[in-house]
Amino acid sequence: MKITKQNIRTALWVTLSVLLVTLLLQNSANVNLRFLHLRAQMPLFAVIMLSALFGAGILWFARRRR
């Protein structure tokens, strides 16, 4: 198999996805969140996942504006 830029990107995305899923599965404890005057209690994996999605959205938006 020839090593190409696309193969490296795919391997990187698969590796990062596996690490994220592992992190999510190991963090199921509830945490308290406070933002300004809002308060919420949710599982830590949900906070991690929402943060990852928010970061991916910012990256997508930044790349799209170029």
Side-chain angles (χ1 to χ4, degrees), residues 19-64:
L19 288 172
L20 180 62
V21 169
T22 303
L23 181 69
L24 293 175
L25 291 174
Q26 291 182 351
N27 290 289
S28 60
N30 282 340
V31 293
N32 294 319
L33 298 174
R34 292 183 302 175
F35 180 71
L36 300 174
H37 293 289
L38 303 172
R39 293 174 189 242
Q41 184 176 14
M42 59 184 7
L44 183 56
F45 70 83
V47 175
I48 294 169
M49 192 64 196
L50 288 172
S51 298
L53 289 173
F54 186 69
I58 290 173
L59 179 64
W60 175 79
F61 185 71
R63 290 181 135 210
R64 185 177 153 111

